[in-house]
Every structure is written in structure tokens, then in C-alpha cells.
Amino acid sequence: MLQNRICLFFLGCVVSLFGQEHNLKNIQKLTFGGDNAEAYFSPNNQLLTLQVTNKALGAECDQIFSLNLNEKTFSPQSLKRISNGQGRTTCSYFMPDGKHIIFASTHGAQKECPAPPKPRDGKYLWAIYPEFDLYIADLNGNIVKQLTNTPGYDAEAVVSPDGKKIAFTSTRSGDLELWTMDIDGSNLKQVTFGLGYDGGSFFSHDSKKLVFRASRPKTEAEINEYKALLQENVVAPTEMELYTCNVDGSDLKQITQLGKANWAPFFHPSDQKIIFSSNHHATRGYDFQLYMINTDGTHLRQITFESEFNAFPMFSPNGKKLVFSSNRQQEAARETNVFIADWVDTDPAEYIEEPLLQKHITFLASDAMNGRLVGSKEELKAAEYLENQFKKWKLKPYQGKSHLIPFEYTYKNNPKDSLNSQEVKIKAHNVVAYLDNKASKTIVIGAHYDHLGRNEHGNSTQMNSQGQIHNGADDNASGVAGVLELARMLSQNITTEKANYIFALFSGEEDGLIGSKALADIIKAQSPNVVTMINMDMIGRLNASKDLIIGGTGTSPEFPKIIEKNKPAGFHVTLEESGTGPTDHTSFYLKDIPVLNFFTGTHSDYHKPSDDADKINYYGVKNIVEYVFRITQALDVMEQIPFTKTKANAGKTRPKYKVTMGIMPDYTEHPDGLHVDGVTDNRPAQKAGIQEGDVITKIGALPIKDVYGYMEALAKINPGDEVEVVFSRNGVSQTVKVKFE
């Protein structure tokens, strides 16, 4: 990231309205009004059984209904009640013959609806009604058999595809565990034994395994709370992970380690993946989306983007359809409906490979790369590594026979220091590949791969750091890894996109966007059909609030809606309209090309030797690269992407100044003034007694709130001026006179 990057975090986070749900085609709403959930297919794919609360249908609390999918249109009258309308029911499932349904009901103990539990101490609670027993009814609602009749909770029953077994959740052992029985109710066996709520199980398509969600209280306080709530027949379903095991309970494996509530799992038709509902991404409020994950815990992928509740997914037995519940298209508050969609599998090449992201970042940010200073032998070594990746995927050089495009420039060492202006000649390389899809438009995806070396050019934000390796893991090995992964995905997938792609890895960015300026000139001349440039600079330090800044959003009127539509769940996106900024997208904006820049923000390791690979948030990098991929898919199908000029001063710019104070500012924003991150020996600040950690609040008559105010103050001072500087040390305000040089 170019020295003195300062990003403005404007208010107004984006809220996703419509998601890019590429796995779901022809989504159709099946229910209308009320609370409709847990819809599951009949063995012949023609019917659904589901759970409904809808006073208009006489269901004061959850009752079991069926729905014939052969109907041409659907309405509330399409639903046919199966349960007897008494008590509360839950978790219905078709029996092997497709003519009977198993479900749990409290009607044997009481005809009225039992009252649901109220939240306690802000915690949402699920009821574990001990009156629940398992029943089998025909499609006309006649109960033909009661399968359980023991004290405690018996519910959540499902049937194995081979028709031999029933799995269900029960408290008959004193805890909420999974049990199985033969299809006739005989041969009861306990499957799980860990303390916690084991439930919501489903069989694999080969009937050999179960997938389920489980809570596992660990601390003494958690265990005591779980047991106390269970004594009151409730649980707090806020911490659940997914597990699989063999039907007999052996080979137990934890699949997710995401935190929060991961539940409603169902096997993909291949039995190698699991679709489920999760709010692990949420940083604020209530938000459940469908995700898919491999059974080995890899390749987590977001499936739904629309609305704030998506759950209870089930594949049709033939694998062609997915049914799920969602609060999208609500006509009234608290309404949940059932939807059905054609399922489209993801191309395996389009899964983000997190190990590859880690590999690229770790290599580029290793000490062996000596900080990748522009023009150094290590920069060339990095360029050769990048070229080898492009060659591996059979990507052509953009120009000539080599992916390396050389450029030269003269650089004035430490240009902001008037006392040290030595000039050096730099010979460097951009690394550029081309994916030719024979399309009428081209998209550039770029990032800079150079960094600060051992601070030879004086761009470090750590004082007296000459000679120390600045590895630049976030700045910008993270963005380079993103470009490489997108190059792999777009070149190796089975789709021929409607755009060509230029994958551009720049050098010379830290000295002033030198490489991208040189390449932008070439691309503008040779590829006049470029419609967008997407840049990634510092995408490796996503914070706990999942704040992401996207620059250039005003350079095309199409960008805001695409950004909004494709936003990852839980992310808080700040839009910066300006097409200019202290990184490489600026070079392309100045050629009248629409641009987007992705950035996770500054941090205390920015431009310091401590920007290392072990601090990278790989979850964040993965999700941002997926986000960029979805945006490229959206841009790919657009006929036009018009360019719009933005205000030249949409963001703050650095004033020119003639003096130096001899401090290194902390570029992280603080509310109390400019924090001093370091002081150079024998320079004005050190001579006046200012120390690292001090907070400058005033220079002369100007109050100092941030680094821009500091620069503005310096711009008004001439060499030799003696000016009062007010600063705070340990909360105590002090005033000194500084003679500026």
C-alpha cells in the first residue's frame, strides 16, 4: 500500500437486498402467510410434508401439512393438514412407502397448544416438550401407529433412504441424544453420548451415516446452565456445530468449528458435502444463511444471500431440487415461507482454495524475500514465482513471450525529507497474464506485489527501522494471493466467460504507483475494450466487525447495486466514490476506466516489520476473493459498464509541505489527536522533548485531530520557524517550542 494511505470510513454500511444465489435457479414460493418450515420430500419427489403455524388455516400452533408439488399454482388452499389439529407437532418426515408420515406431537398429553418459552436474559430458548411422542399417520390424517410412549422428549424423527431405520432425538437417557430404531419401532439403540443437545439428524443417501447438530458445553458455568435449562425442558440453541457419525455412532467427527449456531444440516446428493443454516458470520442482529461445506470441513461456501432467515434445506431424492424455508418475500412481519428451487452444483474449480492463499502469502512475505523492494533481486524472484503460477494454469503473457514486462524510473530517496534527496535508478517488472475468451470486453484484476524491502526508500512507519525486513504480508501479499486465486478459478473452470481477463501484478506501487501507471498506458493502447479494473490492496486484516472499504464505487452507476447484491453475509461495507486513491486503481481511473478497490483498512502493523503472514485473517481473504469473483460474474454478463468521473477531492489529499518535524505519525485513526509512533534522533521533535507515544493536539494555531491536520500545519511552516506544539503525555497536556527544519 502506497505510503501515507489514509482511508475515510464514511457512514452508511450496505445492506444486502438480493443475493447472487447461483446454486439456486427458478426459485418458487410454495406457501403464503404464517410460519412454514421443515419441508421434506416424499420418496418419489412429488409431495412435501411440512410444519405450519397459520391461524387462517386453523393451525394455532405448529401442525403437519402436506403439499402436492404437481399442482400448477400454489395457494394457502394447496396445503392439506395431516396432524389432528390438537397439541403441538414438529419434525415430520415421509415413511418409505410415501403414503405415511412420521411426526412428533403433544396431543396425547393435552389438546391445547403448549406455551412456547420466553427469552431469558436476552437468550432465545427452544422448548423440549416432554409430552412429544412419535406418531405415524396416513396422508388423510389418520394416525395408524404410536411409535414411542415413554416419559420425556421423543421427536425430530427421520427415515433412512433404504427404508430400514428411523433416527430421532430423545431425553430417555437423561440428556438430549440421538437414537435409532428399526422402521417398525423395535431395536432401540443410543447413538450419541456427549453432554449437550444432539439433534436435527439426517441420513446420508447411502443410509450409512448421520449428520446432526450438537451443542457441547465445556466450562463449568456452561455445563451448569445447560443442565439447569434442560431440567426446565428448554435449551439455548446459540452455540451448535455440525457432526457426522456412522449410524451405530462410530467414527464421530466434528465438521464445523465456526462458532454461534450451525444447524439444520442435510447431505448433498454426493454425500461428500453438507448444506446447513448458520449465523456464524453475523456481527449484529439476526441473520441466518445457507452454507455448504465438505464433509472434511473444507470449502465452506455461502449459498443464500437474500433475506435474514434461510434454513431447513433438503434435497429431493433425485438431487434435482432444493426446498428450504426463508423470510424472503414477506407480506407480514414474522412470516416464513417454503421455497423450492432447481439445484445447480458449483464448478469445483470455482471453490476458493484457502491453502493456496496461505501458500502464496507465506512465500511472498517470508524473510527470504527480503521485503520485495522494487528493483531488487528479491522482487525479480517474486516476479518469477508469479509467472510460474500463470504458466501452471496455461495463461498467456499479455505482451510478448514473457509475463514479465520491464519498466524503469528514477527515484529520489526519501522525497519527503528535504535533507536527503539522493536519486537512484530503478529497473523493475510488472507481471501480467491474459485470459482470452474471444469476448468483446476485458476486465483487469490487479494488485501490487512490491513492498519496502529493508526500508531503503524510507517509507516505513516505524522509526529507525532501516535494515529491518518489512515482509508486507497484508501490504500486499494478500492482494496478490487474491489475484492468483482468481486467475486460477477463471482459467480452470468449465465456463467460458463473456469477458477476457488481464491479471496484472504491479511493482513500484510503494514509490508512487509507478508500475501501474506504465501498464495502464500499455493496456489503454492495446486493449481499448477494457470495461473495469478491480484492484485488491491490503485485504488480509479483516477486523472483528468485518469492515471492508470499497473505493471507486462512483466510477460507474452500475457498481453500487452489484456491490450490494453480492455482499458476503455479515460484512459491513463502506463505499468510497472517488476513483482516485493511494493505490493502483488510480492509474486506470485516470485513463477513464471504471475502477473498484478492495481494502480491509489500516492497522498498527502498516508499513512496519511486523506485517507478517501469521497475522493474516484467511477467513477474510477467502470471503473477499469470493466476493470479487461474484462481482466479476455480475460484470461478465452486463452489456455496458459506463464510466463516470468522480470529484477530484472526494477523499482527503495530502498537502505539500517544506519542513520536517522528525516524527513518524501513527496512521491509525484516533479520537484524541495525532499519536506519535516514533521520533528520529537529533531532529526537531526529539530536540524539543517530544517522545514516542505522545499525542499532538495543536501546532501553532491549528488544532490537530489526525494526520491530515498535521500535514496541513506543516504546509504553513517554513524552515527555521519556531512554533508552539501542544501534546499530551499520559493524559497531561504539555507545550513546547519546536524549531522546524
Side-chain angles (χ1 to χ4, degrees), residues 387-586:
E387 181 178 40
N388 286 335
Q389 302 306 308
F390 289 149
K391 287 180 177 178
K392 184 186 303 182
W393 305 318
K394 295 181 171 54
L395 282 162
K396 300 176 182 178
Y398 176 68
Q399 185 182 68
K401 296 182 179 180
S402 173
H403 296 86
L404 275 62
I405 302 178
F407 62 95
E408 297 182 6
Y409 64 102
T410 300
Y411 179 73
K412 185 180 289 187
N413 253 339
N414 209 2
K416 62 180 175 290
D417 187 347
S418 60
L419 301 180
N420 180 6
S421 57
Q422 180 183 359
E423 290 187 348
V424 294
K425 191 169 186 178
I426 305 291
K427 295 182 179 181
H429 303 84
N430 292 320
V431 187
V432 192
Y434 184 55
L435 176 59
D436 187 0
N437 288 321
K438 311 299 181 185
S440 61
K441 61 178 179 283
T442 299
I443 295 171
V444 179
I445 301 177
H448 77 89
Y449 71 94
D450 65 307
H451 195 50
L452 307 187
R454 291 179 178 262
N455 196 26
E456 291 91 338
H457 294 183
N459 286 328
S460 177
T461 61
Q462 180 168 303
M463 298 303 298
N464 305 315
S465 61
Q466 279 75 11
Q468 297 184 46
I469 299 175
H470 291 63
N471 282 323
D474 184 28
D475 187 10
N476 182 36
S478 63
V480 174
V483 173
L484 291 177
E485 188 62 354
L486 289 165
R488 180 193 65 79
M489 295 162 66
L490 288 163
S491 65
Q492 303 304 300
N493 64 0
I494 61 175
T495 302
T496 300
E497 286 79 15
K498 297 179 180 179
N500 311 311
Y501 286 89
I502 297 172
F503 303 103
L505 298 168
F506 314 108
S507 190
E509 191 268 2
E510 300 291 3
D511 282 350
L513 318 184
I514 308 298
S516 60
K517 289 175 184 176
L519 187 61
D521 287 339
I522 295 171
I523 287 177
K524 185 67 174 179
Q526 296 185 3
S527 302
N529 62 344
V530 169
V531 294
T532 300
M533 189 274 174
I534 299 175
N535 192 54
M536 288 176 282
D537 195 351
M538 295 176 63
I539 60 169
R541 298 291 285 271
L542 188 73
N543 61 20
S545 298
K546 299 183 179 176
D547 293 313
L548 176 67
I549 303 98
I550 303 180
T553 60
T555 62
S556 177
E558 302 295 337
F559 284 162
K561 59 187 177 185
I562 292 173
I563 290 166
E564 186 174 316
K565 186 175 184 180
N566 291 281
K567 184 173 71 72
F571 273 53
H572 302 106
V573 178
T574 299
L575 306 185
E576 292 184 348
E577 293 187 356
S578 175
T580 61
T583 187
D584 294 302
H585 68 287
T586 299

Side-chain angles (χ1 to χ4, degrees), residues 584-605:
D584 294 302
H585 68 287
T586 299
S587 301
F588 291 83
Y589 168 77
L590 295 175
K591 300 293 182 183
D592 293 341
I593 295 171
V595 295
L596 290 172
N597 181 61
F598 290 76
F599 171 53
T600 52
T602 55
H603 45 78
S604 60
D605 300 304

Side-chain angles (χ1 to χ4, degrees), residues 661 672 674 676 685-700 702 704 723-738:
M661 190 172 175
D672 53 347
L674 177 74
V676 177
Q686 192 265 342
K687 291 176 181 178
I690 295 174
Q691 301 176 6
E692 179 181 348
D694 290 346
V695 181
I696 296 174
T697 57
K698 193 174 184 181
I699 297 178
L702 287 177
I704 307 300
V723 180
E724 283 192 347
V725 175
V726 180
F727 65 90
S728 173
R729 180 181 297 162
N730 299 322
V732 178
S733 181
Q734 301 183 41
T735 301
V736 296
K737 286 190 174 182
V738 176

